[in-house]
Amino acid sequence: MVQFLAEAAVRLDKTQAQLEDEYYVMDLLDVLDALDRRRAQEALAELNTAIMSQTTDAEAFRRYADLLQRQAGFGGGEKAEFDEDSFERARRQLASGRG
């Protein structure tokens, strides 16, 4: 049992005392199973991405990467449009020395 708790502590990045105080042994088995499933899912996602990057056309892979970024909460905001009027106004100010 001590060996099991020590290995579980390492896998869950907890101390053995934390496991003994905060978890029931039966719950630890479920937590470790869930951790294994999550790691396997992450590995499959990485494998899928690696394979897709080599086998799909560039546009399809870009769409896939954009979808993953939106799902992860990255980006997704509207792209800023280039404001040519403001750019020209700033350029004139800098040229006249007022910037």
Side-chain angles (χ1 to χ4, degrees), residues 4-90:
F4 168 75
L5 287 175
E7 289 177 12
V10 169
R11 288 178 63 193
L12 295 172
D13 197 27
K14 303 277 184 184
T15 66
Q16 189 170 341
Q18 285 176 306
L19 292 184
E20 292 171 357
D21 294 340
E22 299 172 11
Y23 294 88
Y24 292 108
V25 174
M26 295 306 292
D27 291 341
L28 276 178
L29 297 172
D30 292 337
V31 169
L32 292 172
D33 285 343
L35 178 65
D36 289 341
R37 280 193 307 276
R38 192 190 88 226
R39 287 184 177 159
Q41 290 169 352
E42 290 171 356
L44 285 171
E46 290 173 7
L47 179 62
N48 185 39
T49 301
I51 290 170
M52 282 191 67
S53 70
Q54 301 298 317
T55 60
T56 61
D57 65 281
E59 181 60 26
F61 184 72
R62 187 193 61 76
R63 287 192 311 268
Y64 174 69
D66 288 346
L67 172 68
L68 290 178
Q69 288 177 349
R70 283 194 307 276
Q71 288 176 343
F74 301 122
E78 294 181 21
K79 284 187 173 181
E81 299 265 337
F82 179 69
D83 185 356
E84 191 169 346
D85 292 333
S86 295
F87 175 76
E88 290 298 326
R89 190 174 334 119

